[in-house]
């Protein structure tokens, strides 16, 4: 890992499962690069590798959910950090939201979002989403996971050139 890459570990990020759907076809992936970028309208930004299967579904349908993981949900973060497969969505309990995106019922809280626009950023696309609806699910007594707690779960130490 480069010197800059190890210093980047000091940036703080949460850990989220982003749910996507196009009709009955659903998928979800783990993401750390998520942040609020506007008060009015309320906008969230999500940096996504366009090679992910989830990116294609998000672009087709224009909707996604951002589900906040708790510090106790490491196995959930690892599971949704794997590429799409026939049984990827078998983990977790999913409920269709207002927009049609799948909401992870075991998450601390969720945001139901509509695609607004996107910006190219190196090897990722920064997708800006408008929040249509949000809810707290099982937040009481729990704290959100910090990306640093996932170590090299995403294999990012090999991604710097
Ligand atoms: C802790 C963690 C954080 C991650 N953060 C991101 C992220 O912010 N953006 C991204 O595009 N991929 C991120 N990934 C990688 C994706 O979750 C992973 O490539 C996944 O296989 C994509 O799934 P899909 O191909 O089914 O869409 C992260 C993975 C982990 C484990």
């Amino acid at each position: 890992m480069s010197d800059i890459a190890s210093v980047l570990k000091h940036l703080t990020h949460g850990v989220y499962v982003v749910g996507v759907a196009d009709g009955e076809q659903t998928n979800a992936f783990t993401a750390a690069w998520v942040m609020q970028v506007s008060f009015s309208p309320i906008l969230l930004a999500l940096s996504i590798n366009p090679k992910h299967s989830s990116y294609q579904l998000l672009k087709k349908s224009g909707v996604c959910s951002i589900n906040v993981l708790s510090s106790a949900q490491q196995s959930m973060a690892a599971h949704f950090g794997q590429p799409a497969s026939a049984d990827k969505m078998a983990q977790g309990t999913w409920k269709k939201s207002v927009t049609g995106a799948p909401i992870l019922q075991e998450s601390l809280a969720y945001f139901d979002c509509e695609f607004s626009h996107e910006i190219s950023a190196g090897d990722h696309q920064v997708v800006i989403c408008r929040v249509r609806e949000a809810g707290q699910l099982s937040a009481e007594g729990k704290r959100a996971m910090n990306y640093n707690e996932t170590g090299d779960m995403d294999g990012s130490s090999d991604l710097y050139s």
Side-chain angles (χ1 to χ4, degrees):
M1 202 193 296
S2 72
D3 286 350
I4 296 173
S6 56
V7 180
L8 283 171
K9 292 273 176 196
H10 293 288
L11 290 177
T12 45
H13 306 278
V15 182
Y16 309 88
V17 172
V18 178
V20 291
D22 182 37
E24 291 312 304
Q25 195 184 353
T26 58
N27 195 26
F29 75 103
T30 304
W33 291 349
V34 174
M35 66 186 289
Q36 182 177 351
V37 292
S38 167
F39 287 122
S40 182
I42 300 172
L43 298 176
L44 300 180
L46 160 68
S47 186
I48 175 170
N49 183 331
K51 292 182 182 149
H52 293 345
S53 311
S54 303
Y55 178 73
Q56 308 304 332
L57 283 186
L58 200 168
K59 285 305 297 286
K60 264 168 90 180
S61 65
V63 301
C64 69
S65 68
I66 297 176
N67 303 274
V68 184
L69 291 186
S70 77
S71 54
Q73 291 177 308
Q74 287 270 343
S75 63
M76 201 74 103
H79 177 79
F80 290 104
Q82 301 170 85
S85 64
D87 60 354
K88 193 174 182 185
M89 295 301 278
Q91 183 152 332
T93 313
W94 298 92
K95 201 170 151 190
K96 206 185 242 193
S97 67
V98 173
T99 65
I103 303 291
L104 180 62
Q105 298 302 296
E106 290 84 358
S107 63
L108 290 188
Y110 71 89
F111 300 90
D112 185 19
C113 305
E114 273 170 1
F115 176 91
S116 168
H117 58 285
E118 68 183 317
I119 302 156
S120 292
D123 52 14
H124 279 53
Q125 290 294 111
V126 178
V127 171
I128 313 288
C129 300
R130 189 175 183 135
V131 178
R132 281 279 310 275
E133 198 244 325
Q136 297 216 32
L137 293 172
S138 54
E140 207 166 315
K142 297 180 187 165
R143 74 168 174 83
M145 190 188 295
N146 187 311
Y147 175 55
N148 278 337
E149 295 168 50
T150 65
D152 197 38
M153 186 189 281
D154 59 0
S156 56
S157 57
D158 292 334
L159 300 179
Y160 293 95
S161 51

